[in-house]
Amino acid sequence: SGKDFQADALVKKLQEKNIQVFKTFEPTGNHIGHHIRRILKGEEPFPGDHGMALLFTKDRRLHTQWIREQLDQDIHIICVRYILSTLSYNCRIIQDMENIIKLHEPFYLVPDLTFYCDIDVATALKRKNKLLEADFSKLELYENIEALKRVKKNYDMIFGKCIAPPFRSLFAQKGTHLFSDEEVWVHAPVIHLDCTLPQEQIEQKVFT
């Protein structure tokens, strides 16, 4: 869907404005992240969707600790993939998603802004195959049409229900109403990107 291209372009744009920024990603480059990547490439046994979700959660806990340290130094973070990827790729029913969200509660950071890079499955696979020069042996674990259809359905459901439980806490933080003591949810913006468009058009929407 061009996530890395858009993330790199955004980093460059912010750096041109003398803004301290760092691009990061998941799975990370630590020992857990390397283990996950070997599984995705078929180099180690697949522990099942739940096992993968737990591995990503462990990786994300360490990653989030590092992100907090950067934020404390006023460094902006652009992260390619976060909890929504785990919910979409590794959860098959809503109860699985709820359980994973609960595991994240002690350490989760609500992003200031979320971009949803939306693309249909056929176009995504066509681009991936072209990138790999039709060497299908290089495709990773979830890079097949059936798995990606399920992933796309999950993403669409999450973003369609982002203002309601159980997904609300991933996009919003609790606060207090300005004129009362009533507890309210303060939602961070979510921007939908149609990633079937040319990269230059997507880039323009990201910057604006």
Side-chain angles (χ1 to χ4, degrees):
S1 63
K3 298 180 298 299
D4 282 292
F5 179 90
Q6 295 302 330
D8 289 339
L10 183 54
V11 167
K12 183 179 179 182
K13 194 77 170 181
L14 294 173
Q15 288 176 337
E16 289 173 355
K17 296 178 179 296
N18 295 317
I19 296 174
Q20 283 190 298
V21 59
F22 193 91
K23 174 193 165 188
T24 186
F25 50 84
E26 293 186 357
T28 67
N30 69 28
H31 64 288
I32 303 174
H34 282 301
H35 179 47
I36 292 171
R37 290 183 186 279
R38 288 194 294 271
I39 294 171
L40 293 175
K41 293 177 181 178
E43 297 170 0
E44 292 193 21
F46 176 54
D49 285 320
H50 184 66
M52 287 296 286
L54 294 180
L55 282 172
F56 270 106
T57 301
K58 291 178 181 178
D59 188 37
R60 188 166 299 119
R61 181 187 289 271
L62 295 176
H63 191 204
T64 302
Q65 181 181 343
W66 177 85
I67 291 174
R68 288 183 186 277
E69 292 170 358
Q70 309 315 303
L71 296 176
D72 288 342
Q73 299 178 56
D74 296 324
I75 299 173
H76 296 267
I77 295 295
I78 296 172
C79 183
V80 179
R81 298 194 182 281
Y82 200 46
I83 186 177
L84 303 184
S85 293
T86 300
L87 298 180
S88 297
Y89 278 83
N90 306 123
C91 296
R92 295 186 179 260
I93 58 176
I94 191 70
Q95 287 81 5
D96 292 342
M97 295 185 179
E98 290 173 345
N99 291 335
I100 294 300
I101 291 171
K102 286 179 181 178
L103 290 178
H104 283 71
E105 287 177 355
F107 66 88
Y108 181 74
L109 271 175
V110 176
D112 295 321
L113 178 64
T114 299
F115 291 102
Y116 176 26
C117 297
D118 190 10
I119 189 169
D120 63 275
V121 172
T123 301
L125 277 176
K126 183 178 179 181
R127 289 182 181 178
K128 187 70 175 183
N129 293 338
K130 184 178 180 181
L131 185 66
L132 299 177
E133 298 179 346
D135 184 353
F136 301 112
S137 66
K138 295 180 181 178
L139 289 172
E140 294 188 349
L141 180 65
Y142 294 102
E143 291 174 341
N144 63 79
I145 193 163
E146 292 305 318
L148 291 178
K149 281 182 178 179
R150 173 172 58 83
V151 170
K152 175 75 163 64
K153 183 178 179 181
N154 282 343
Y155 268 122
D156 288 343
M157 179 192 65
I158 292 168
F159 281 99
K161 298 181 178 181
C162 64
I163 62 172
F167 307 116
R168 179 173 57 189
S169 62
L170 307 179
F171 300 93
Q173 299 184 66
K174 289 182 181 179
T176 304
H177 193 281
L178 183 62
F179 302 110
S180 71
D181 293 329
E182 182 184 358
E183 188 177 77
V184 295
W185 286 90
V186 181
H187 288 262
V190 175
I191 297 177
H192 179 275
L193 299 176
D194 179 358
C195 288
T196 61
L197 297 173
Q199 290 181 330
E200 294 75 15
Q201 291 186 32
I202 303 170
E203 197 174 317
Q204 186 177 8
K205 184 169 183 178
V206 170
F207 294 154
T208 55

